[in-house]
Amino acid sequence: MTVAIDETHDPARTSWVASAQGHPDFPIQNLPLGVFSNGNGAPRGGIAIGDFILDLAALARSGLLDGAALQAAEAASGDTLNPLLALGTAPRRALRRSVSALLARDRPHRDAVAPMLHPAHTCALHLPARVGDYTDFYVGIHHATNVGLLFRPDNPLLPNYKHVPIGYHGRASSVRVSGTPVLRPHGQLKAPDAVAPTLAATRRLDYELELGVWIGTGNLPGSAIPIEEAGEYVAGLSLLNDWSARDVQAWEYQPLGPFLAKNFLTTVSPWIVTAEALAPFRIAQPPRPEGDPAPLPYLLDAGDQAQGALAITLEVTISSERMRAEGRAPLRLSRGPASNMYWTIAQMVAHHSVNGCDLNPGDLLGTGTISGPTRDTFGSLLELSRGGVEPVTLPTGETRAFLEDGDLLSMSGRMETEGLVSIGFGPCTGTVEPARKS
Ligand code: MN
């Protein structure tokens, strides 16, 4: 996947939007795409810049854009970004270059553009696209190994893992934007020694730290996406939390895989950080350990191996109701690199379509939980607490084997490379609410 580096990535470029300078997530080098609303206005496309959101519907009407950039802004003027995502790479990049120029210091557009900026704290953020299909992969090899050890101590990694990017079809209807409350779900629970299952609220509510991949242009039914072209089909990334009810999962998951343990809610961060913004943060895919099989040719591309991974640092924090009441800072549960993925995003896309399955604009792929090799990099409580037997201690003295009602879980991710301005996703959060009475 080759994406051009251009003037929009220049670390020397600054914006007349003062809060963009040094912003942890949204300096002028990022310009992520989302859907927002404010006041009584309808939801519409926007771009985050510092502490503000640039209204793309207003920009499309302003006369400041032309050509492919105008086409892209018009496609982003409605309540979902699907029409923009469908346009593919070139118009999205043209919009980025135009917006970057309009927001850059020493340009004469400040007076015209400033009225189209809304303070982010006055806006509501919505799901950036209507998700037609959601697929969750399992490419975090340390997670797969850790969980495999808990569920199948003798046989943690099944023999297909290093040949096939494992995935399953998730539920699109329950993909929600960051901040959506996490209602503790009910499900069938059966302890290993119980005679029969019961229906009850889950006692083992967990999170899964993942990246979400937004599909741009789709492929036609019956046509596989060649791996060397996979990058053209990826619009950008968000953070993704695949909330999971581990007790439901343990009872239901065989033989067909996850079902009600995961489809009650999937949370994504609201901004799509585009493939263009991510371009300078591409790094080599870590080499496979000696003795591992080579991927089949349809999953192997020299360019993808050379720059198919990303320099992203992911972090998860927890804050219990009591921690917040006592004014304590959130506790970091994990921090680690997103390069702990056995398969690249291009390999996920190529594999998903190799049988002719059509991906569509706005489809969402989860990477699977991204864990590192050590406990401080584990991407779920299931792993951190070793299946619930070694709870995490909070600053209040409370302990957590799994999530309790009132817990606020927050994920963040930062793209960092020496010599560049780092960018981020913005938060992906959720607070656990008590189960409804059944
Ligand atoms: Mn998952």
Side-chain angles (χ1 to χ4, degrees), residues 136 208 210 242 262 369:
D136 200 19
E208 291 194 337
E210 307 194 14
D242 177 21
K262 287 168 176 282
T369 310

Side-chain angles (χ1 to χ4, degrees), residues 192-249:
D193 54 350
V195 179
T198 56
L199 179 70
T202 178
R203 289 166 204 144
R204 297 191 150 212
L205 183 63
D206 199 358
Y207 64 90
E208 291 194 337
L209 171 63
E210 307 194 14
L211 290 171
V213 179
W214 293 98
I215 297 297
T217 322
N219 59 309
L220 294 172
S223 71
I225 298 172
I227 186 159
E228 61 274 14
E229 293 172 20
E232 289 295 306
Y233 295 81
V234 173
L237 305 183
S238 294
L239 297 167
L240 185 148
N241 187 343
D242 177 21
W243 304 98
S244 299
R246 300 300 184 189
D247 38 12
V248 178
Q249 183 178 358

Side-chain angles (χ1 to χ4, degrees), residues 2-82:
T2 9
V3 183
I5 306 292
D6 57 32
E7 75 286 356
T8 65
H9 303 100
D10 183 354
R13 180 167 278 199
T14 56
S15 174
W16 49 261
V17 180
S19 59
Q21 270 66 258
H23 196 283
D25 293 315
F26 309 133
I28 195 169
Q29 287 77 11
N30 193 346
L31 304 178
L33 300 160
V35 171
F36 78 103
S37 60
N38 63 335
N40 296 323
R44 55 208 186 274
I47 285 181
I49 175 76
D51 294 335
F52 291 83
I53 297 172
L54 174 64
D55 184 336
L56 287 174
L59 185 62
R61 294 189 301 266
S62 69
L64 291 168
L65 300 179
D66 56 19
L70 176 59
Q71 182 192 15
E74 287 173 339
S77 293
D79 62 1
T80 77
L81 295 182
N82 298 69

